[in-house]
Amino acid sequence: MDALSLFSLQGKRALITGSSRGIGYGIAEALAGAGAEILLNARDKVALGDAAAKLATAGAKVHALAFDVTSEDSVSDAIAHAESEIGPIDIVVNNAGMQHRQPLEEWRLDKFEQVMATNLTSAFLVSREAVKGMIARKRGRIINICSVMSNVARASIAPYSASKAALANLTRGMAVDWAKHGINVNGIAPGYIRTELNEALLQNVEFNAWVEKRTPLGRWADPSELGGAAIFLASDASTYVSGHILYVDGGFTATV
Ligand code: NAP
C-alpha cells in the first residue's frame, strides 16, 4: 500500500479564509501541493488577486473569492456562489483572524466585538454555510486556526485569547454536532509565526529574544511550517481524528 496516497488531496476543493498572505497563504500553498483546487479569500481584492496569480504560477488551480468573513450575507452569498459555479467545497480552513494590542482596561467595546467577529463568529458563519453541502454529500473537513492563546494568556491581548479559547471549544462542538454526517472538524494551534499580524512584535528586539527563549525549538516559524498539519487534517491520513487541536508551536505549550 502506498502510504503517501493517504495524504493526497487530488480531486478535492479547499476554501481557506484569510489566505491572501501569512498562515492562510502558507496553508493554501500546502493543500495545492497535495493536489487540492484552492479557493482563496480575503477582503482586499488587489492583494487577493496577486496571491491567486502567484499560486497559479506555481501550478495550482485557484479561484479568488473576495468577501468579509464577518458579514453573514456576504459569507452565505460567496459560499452559495462557489458551490454552484465552481463546485463542491470539500475542505474549509477557518483561518481569517486579527489581533489588537492594548491594556485591557483601555479596550473599546467596538474593538472587542470586531476581534470576536473576525476570530470566532466568522468560523461559525463560514462553517454553517459550507456544511450544508458537506451534510448533503456526507463528507467534509473543517479546520479552525486556533492559537497557543486558546490555552494561555498574555498581557494586552485578552480579547484575542478569549476568541481563540472559544474557537477551540467551537471546534469540539462542531466535531460533535457534525460527526454523524461524516464530517471531521479539528483545530491547528500555531505558536509564534512570522506574519504581518506580528509585524510589531517582529520589530521588537526584546520580544524576539523572549520568543526565542520561551519556545523550546528556539525560533519563530515560517507560515509554510503549518502546511503539513493542514494536509494531515484535510486528508485521508486523519479519517478517525476529530475534535482535536493540533499544536504547531515549537513546544511552546509543553513547557513553563
Ligand atoms: P495576517 O498575516 O494578518 O493575515 C490575515 C489574513 O486574513 C489576510 O489575508 C487578511 O486579508 C484576512 N482577513 C482579515 N480579516 C478578514 C475578514 N474580516 N474577512 C476576510 N479576510 C480577512 O495573519 P496571520 O498571522 O497569517 O494569521 C492567520 C490566522 O492565524 C489568524 O486567525 C491568527 O489569529 C492565527 N494565528 C496566528 C499566529 C501568528 O503567530 N501569526 C499565531 C497563532 C494563530 P484582508 O485584510 O485583505 O481581508
Side-chain angles (χ1 to χ4, degrees), residues 21-105:
R21 62 174 188 258
I23 291 173
Y25 185 80
I27 289 176
E29 250 183 334
L31 299 187
E37 183 174 335
I38 302 296
L39 311 186
L40 286 184
N41 154 261
R43 291 163 303 179
D44 179 335
K45 286 188 178 150
V46 175
L48 185 63
D50 290 349
K54 190 172 150 198
L55 204 53
T57 305
K61 192 161 182 197
V62 193
H63 308 267
L65 282 180
F67 64 92
D68 183 339
V69 292
T70 67
S71 158
E72 185 172 21
D73 288 347
S74 306
V75 167
S76 106
D77 289 351
I79 289 181
H81 164 83
E83 286 263 337
S84 68
E85 303 301 316
I86 302 171
I89 299 171
D90 304 291
I91 301 154
V92 167
V93 182
N94 287 305
N95 166 78
M98 65 170 289
Q99 181 59 287
H100 177 73
R101 301 179 182 91
Q102 202 166 18
L104 185 56
E105 66 278 14

